[in-house]
């Protein structure tokens, strides 16, 4: 009787069931398609950025919102008056910047405003935009620039 308790059981090969593997992959694919945010803005102003020596790249692009300042691109290819653009909207009244940016700051408390300013833009307009950003409490500001051309 004692010998029955200590007999080796037949070896069985354990396998991982793969029948539901396509379902899992499909669910992951749908998850990433739904959760990925693709933002694309149609820039309606020219922004020929100034050159700079020391640049720092921001890795967290989702924290960024861009404010474009530069001459408006007209349909015939010419350039118009200097305008301010946030997302896809041209801003006529600069006080709207305060409201737009305050709402964005409520959505994303770590918001970084990246100013993409054309090198020929008037500093009066840039100063007015900076004041509106200050009133909206969006104090994390980045100034975009191009790397300086290498010396030959």
């Amino acid at each position: 009787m004692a010998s029955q308790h200590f007999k080796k059981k037949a070896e069985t090969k354990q396998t991982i069931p793969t029948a539901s593997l396509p379902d899992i992959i499909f669910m992951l694919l749908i998850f990433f398609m739904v959760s990925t945010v693709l933002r694309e803005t149609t820039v309606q102003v020219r922004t020929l950025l100034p050159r700079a020596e020391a640049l720092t790249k921001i890795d967290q692009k989702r924290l960024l919102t861009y404010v474009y300042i530069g001459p408006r691109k007209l349909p015939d290819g010419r350039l118009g008056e200097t305008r301010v653009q946030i997302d896809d909207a041209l801003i006529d009244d600069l006080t709207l910047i305060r409201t737009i940016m305050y709402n964005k700051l409520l959505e994303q408390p770590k918001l970084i405003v990246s100013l993409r300013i054309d090198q020929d833009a008037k500093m009066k307009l840039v100063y007015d935009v900076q004041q509106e950003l200050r009133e909206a409490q969006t104090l994390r500001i980045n100034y975009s620039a191009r790397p300086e051309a290498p010396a030959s």
Side-chain angles (χ1 to χ4, degrees), residues 19 41 122:
T41 303
K122 302 291 184 202

Side-chain angles (χ1 to χ4, degrees), residues 18-33:
T18 58
S20 63
L21 196 59
D23 294 335
I24 294 170
I25 291 173
F26 185 67
M27 290 300 287
L28 282 172
L29 178 66
I30 290 176
F31 170 76
F32 286 115
M33 286 174 57

Side-chain angles (χ1 to χ4, degrees), residues 65-123:
T65 188
Y66 293 99
V67 175
Y68 301 93
I69 303 174
R72 183 174 182 191
K73 296 176 187 174
L74 299 174
D76 60 1
R78 294 182 300 128
L79 297 174
E81 63 184 34
T82 302
R83 302 288 300 271
V84 178
Q85 178 183 342
I86 300 174
D87 295 331
D88 281 330
L90 290 172
I91 307 299
D92 294 321
D93 182 11
L94 291 183
T95 57
L96 289 174
I97 295 172
R98 184 182 318 174
T99 307
I100 294 168
M101 287 303 169
Y102 183 74
N103 290 335
K104 284 181 174 275
L105 186 63
L106 291 177
E107 290 175 18
Q108 177 54 263
K110 294 182 178 182
L111 179 72
I112 301 171
V113 178
S114 181
L115 294 175
R116 300 186 67 108
I117 305 167
D118 187 79
Q119 64 186 12
D120 297 329
K122 302 291 184 202
M123 276 309 293

Side-chain angles (χ1 to χ4, degrees), residues 1-52:
M1 188 159 181
S3 63
Q4 287 181 342
H5 292 288
F6 296 108
K7 282 186 179 177
K8 281 191 172 181
K9 295 187 178 180
E11 299 266 339
T12 59
K13 203 171 211 182
Q14 303 243 342
T15 60
I16 298 172
T18 58
S20 63
L21 196 59
D23 294 335
I24 294 170
I25 291 173
F26 185 67
M27 290 300 287
L28 282 172
L29 178 66
I30 290 176
F31 170 76
F32 286 115
M33 286 174 57
V34 170
S35 64
T36 302
V37 177
L38 299 175
R39 295 187 310 184
E40 210 165 301
T41 303
T42 304
V43 180
Q44 301 175 35
V45 297
R46 182 190 76 181
T47 52
L48 183 58
L49 300 175
R51 295 194 178 272

